[in-house]
Amino acid sequence: MDITIHTSFLPHTDPEESLAFYRDVLGFEVRNDVGTGTMRWITVGPAGQPGTNILLAPPAVDPGITDDERRAIAEMMAKGTYGWILLATPDLDGTFEKIQASDAEVVQEPTEQPYGMRDCAFRDPAGNLVRIQELR
C-alpha cells in the first residue's frame, strides 16, 4: 500500500485570526479559501510540501450533529481539548521565539521530554494545541 497523509482538520472560531496565525506566524501557504464570514474552509500548508495540508474549518457544522454535541464541542474548544496538531522543525528555539513574539499563548517552553523528544507547545486562536517537536 502507498498511503500518505494529505489533509488534517483543525477547527477555527475566527477564520481571520486562524489565517493570520497559520500564514503570518507559522509561515504556511494558503492553498484554498472557500466560503464567507465564519463559514470559511481554509487550506494551508508548509511551503515546499504541496501534498501536506491543514484544513481550518468551522466546527460542528455537519447537519447530523445534535445541539448537545455542538455544545460539547464548543466547551472542549474553549478548554483547548478538542483539536491539536504535532509539527516539527530543525530549529525549535528559533521557531519558539518567533511564535512567542506573536503573542500566541505559550503552553510549554522548549523542554526535553522523558521519551527522548524536545518540544514546545502553543494554542492557536481557536484554542487548538500546536505542539512542535525538534527534528534531530
Side-chain angles (χ1 to χ4, degrees), residues 109-129:
E109 294 187 6
T111 303
E112 189 70 39
Q113 299 294 349
Y115 45 85
M117 185 60 64
R118 186 167 179 261
D119 67 2
C120 66
F122 295 89
R123 292 217 188 279
D124 78 2
N128 299 307
L129 182 67

Side-chain angles (χ1 to χ4, degrees), residues 53-90:
N53 302 283
I54 299 171
L55 174 61
L56 305 170
V61 294
D62 186 305
I65 295 176
T66 67
D67 288 340
D68 286 342
E69 290 168 331
R70 279 187 183 82
R71 276 191 295 279
I73 290 169
E75 289 171 6
M76 290 177 73
M77 286 181 67
K79 293 188 326 186
T81 59
Y82 184 65
W84 63 279
I85 192 161
L86 181 59
L87 305 174
T89 180

Side-chain angles (χ1 to χ4, degrees), residues 85-109:
I85 192 161
L86 181 59
L87 305 174
T89 180
D91 180 14
L92 186 65
D93 294 318
T95 300
F96 177 83
E97 288 175 16
K98 181 179 180 198
I99 298 171
Q100 184 180 35
S102 76
D103 293 328
E105 179 188 346
V106 176
V107 175
Q108 175 202 303
E109 294 187 6

Side-chain angles (χ1 to χ4, degrees), residues 25-62:
V25 176
L26 295 185
F28 286 178
E29 299 173 332
V30 177
R31 307 226 168 108
N32 204 1
D33 189 342
V34 179
T36 60
T38 59
M39 296 303 284
R40 281 172 66 190
W41 286 258
I42 305 165
T43 306
V44 297
Q49 297 179 45
T52 302
N53 302 283
I54 299 171
L55 174 61
L56 305 170
V61 294
D62 186 305

